[in-house]
């Protein structure tokens, strides 16, 4: 197929299609699970029934009129692109942001890619001796992210389609309260939306990681845990009590000197994670928690939140 024609039919920039073509080339893709097996798999991946119903309704059956040739090409090449970096841990945009309002096939194309890659990821995990429980818990971040996207009326997904390639390539593992992201010398910590960030839960997760990575990745040698987040912004000390879970989490880290982040607006990220909305006016946001009140009052005063990075020895 002509790449210019594919881009026009997908309503995306030609450069995005050319990138997929360049990275995926004629590398092997991977099949989706059998449609009959998909409901059980979606359930194991913690996909909410409303999202599962949409995914099943848009399933890429061979005779589905929803799946035009350019959509089938993109799905196949996205799977190949991500599969080609199996074992990688860098940020990997899998393909262009699609106009998802066009229907279920468009809305969930990257979910179908994830479903095809789930078995690839499970095989990678088995090769590294990782238990099925850890595998399913890690991959079930799909359901969590789809629920967030639904809550955000579709505003969450463009970031999530890249985020979930970490799981599909074996770059990230959910161990207790935290997600642990393989790197070069650091294990990066991510904080899923999964309940209180208590010191006990954090310590237990760190202890799991200290045993997990030497056991399953013995050739990789990590020296530090690291994190980049607005949750490490010292300005939160102005609003939250010293014994709050967030402040106690902050105290684990030695902060790096502050630098303006490139391609990331901390104020937007605070609203994304603190309220799961990017469009609600500040005076209409809920003020149920001390953190929510802190976010709102800080922004209404004309100040900005900072994205800070920190580390501490393993």
């Amino acid at each position: 197929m002509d790449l210019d024609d594919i881009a026009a039919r997908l309503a995306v920039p030609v450069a995005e299609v050319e990138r997929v073509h360049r990275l995926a080339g004629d590398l092997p893709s991977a099949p989706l699970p059998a449609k009959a097996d998909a409901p059980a798999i979606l359930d194991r991946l913690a996909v909410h029934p409303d999202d599962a119903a949409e995914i099943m309704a848009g399933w890429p059956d061979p005779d589905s009129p929803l799946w035009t040739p350019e959509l089938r090409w993109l799905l196949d090449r996205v799977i190949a692109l991500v599969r080609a970096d199996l074992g990688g841990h860098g940020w990997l945009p899998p393909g262009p942001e699609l106009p998802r309002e066009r229907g279920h096939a468009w809305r969930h194309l990257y979910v179908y890619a994830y479903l095809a890659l789930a078995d690839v990821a499970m095989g990678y995990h088995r090769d590294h001796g990782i238990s099925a429980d850890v595998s399913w818990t890690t991959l079930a971040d799909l359901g969590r992210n789809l629920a967030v996207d639904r809550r955000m009326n579709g505003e969450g997904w463009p970031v999530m389609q890249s985020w979930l390639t970490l799981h599909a390539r074996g770059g990230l593992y959910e161990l207790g309260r935290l997600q642990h992201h393989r790197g070069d010398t650091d294990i990066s910590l991510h904080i899923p939306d999964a309940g209180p960030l208590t010191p006990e839960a954090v310590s237990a997760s760190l202890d799991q990681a200290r045993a997990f990575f030497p056991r399953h990745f013995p050739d990789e040698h990590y020296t530090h845990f690291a994190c980049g987040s607005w949750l490490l912004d010292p300005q939160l000390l102005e609003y939250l009590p010293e014994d709050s879970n967030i402040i106690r989490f902050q105290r684990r880290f030695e902060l790096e000197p502050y630098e303006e982040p490139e391609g990331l607006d901390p104020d937007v990220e605070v609203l994304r994670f603190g309220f799961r909305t990017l469009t609600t006016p500040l005076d209409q946001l809920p003020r149920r928690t001390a953190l929510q009140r802190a976010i709102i009052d800080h922004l209404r005063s004309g100040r900005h939140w900072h994205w800070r990075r920190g580390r501490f020895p393993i």
Side-chain angles (χ1 to χ4, degrees):
M1 295 179 68
D2 179 80
L3 299 184
D4 289 346
D5 184 55
I6 292 174
R9 291 175 181 272
L10 293 175
V12 302
V14 173
E16 292 281 347
V17 173
E18 290 176 341
R19 175 182 171 274
V20 172
H21 177 68
R22 182 178 72 255
L23 294 180
D26 58 358
L27 295 170
S29 184
L32 270 77
K35 188 176 182 180
D37 297 332
I41 294 172
L42 292 170
D43 185 60
R44 292 211 69 175
L45 295 176
V47 175
H48 188 276
D50 289 344
D51 293 313
E54 286 189 4
I55 292 165
M56 295 306 300
W59 195 262
D61 293 313
D63 58 350
S64 171
L66 302 175
W67 284 85
T68 59
E70 62 274 8
L71 277 178
R72 292 187 186 278
W73 177 88
L74 181 61
L75 175 61
D76 181 76
R77 292 300 82 200
V78 163
I79 296 169
L81 186 159
V82 178
R83 183 178 185 179
D85 195 47
L86 186 64
H89 49 71
W91 191 255
L92 180 67
E97 180 182 343
L98 296 176
R100 299 170 74 226
E101 69 281 356
R102 289 191 176 186
H104 296 328
W106 296 75
R107 180 175 179 81
H108 295 303
L109 183 139
Y110 292 100
V111 175
Y112 300 117
Y114 190 89
L115 293 176
L117 290 159
D119 192 54
V120 175
M122 293 288 285
Y124 180 83
H125 290 186
R126 286 192 297 272
D127 289 344
H128 286 78
I130 295 167
S131 72
D133 285 345
V134 169
S135 298
W136 284 112
T137 298
T138 298
L139 294 173
D141 204 26
L142 173 68
R144 182 188 289 135
N145 280 277
L146 284 169
V148 168
D149 184 60
R150 181 174 288 272
R151 181 177 170 187
M152 293 181 68
N153 297 314
E155 294 177 334
W157 191 257
V159 172
M160 296 173 189
Q161 70 187 41
S162 297
W163 161 248
L164 289 166
T165 71
L166 292 170
H167 310 56
R169 290 178 287 145
L172 177 143
Y173 298 89
E174 187 162 332
L175 306 171
R177 182 61 184 86
L178 302 174
Q179 293 165 323
H180 299 260
H181 177 185
R182 292 168 49 225
D184 294 325
T185 60
D186 293 349
I187 297 171
S188 294
L189 305 176
H190 302 279
I191 307 163
D193 189 358
L197 191 68
T198 66
E200 296 77 15
V202 171
S203 293
S205 181
L206 297 175
D207 285 343
Q208 282 184 259
R210 290 183 178 106
F212 179 89
F213 287 97
R215 179 186 304 127
H216 301 295
F217 297 93
D219 295 332
E220 298 178 3
H221 303 288
Y222 298 105
T223 61
H224 287 77
F225 289 113
C227 185
S229 175
W230 58 273
L231 286 172
L232 298 187
D233 188 345
Q235 295 179 106
L236 284 167
L237 285 163
E238 300 175 29
Y239 303 94
L240 301 180
E242 291 190 2
D243 62 350
S244 70
N245 289 336
I246 290 174
I247 299 304
R248 287 190 286 184
F249 182 72
Q250 280 191 3
R251 289 203 179 104
R252 295 177 184 266
F253 295 86
E254 180 178 346
L255 292 183
E256 299 175 1
Y258 177 68
E259 294 183 2
E260 288 285 342
E262 293 185 13
L264 184 149
D265 185 336
D267 291 342
V268 170
E269 298 308 307
V270 167
L271 294 174
R272 183 192 306 279
F273 290 97
F275 299 95
R276 298 304 187 188
T277 180
L278 303 180
T279 56
T280 304
L282 291 179
D283 59 3
Q284 295 179 25
L285 291 172
R287 299 176 59 89
R288 290 187 289 268
T289 68
L291 179 60
Q292 288 178 335
R293 294 189 292 273
I295 292 170
I296 294 168
D297 292 344
H298 192 79
L299 293 174
R300 291 187 70 177
S301 71
R303 300 168 70 189
H304 297 282
W305 292 106
H306 296 160
W307 190 270
R308 298 300 301 268
R309 297 186 180 277
R311 305 165 78 225
F312 62 91
I314 289 179

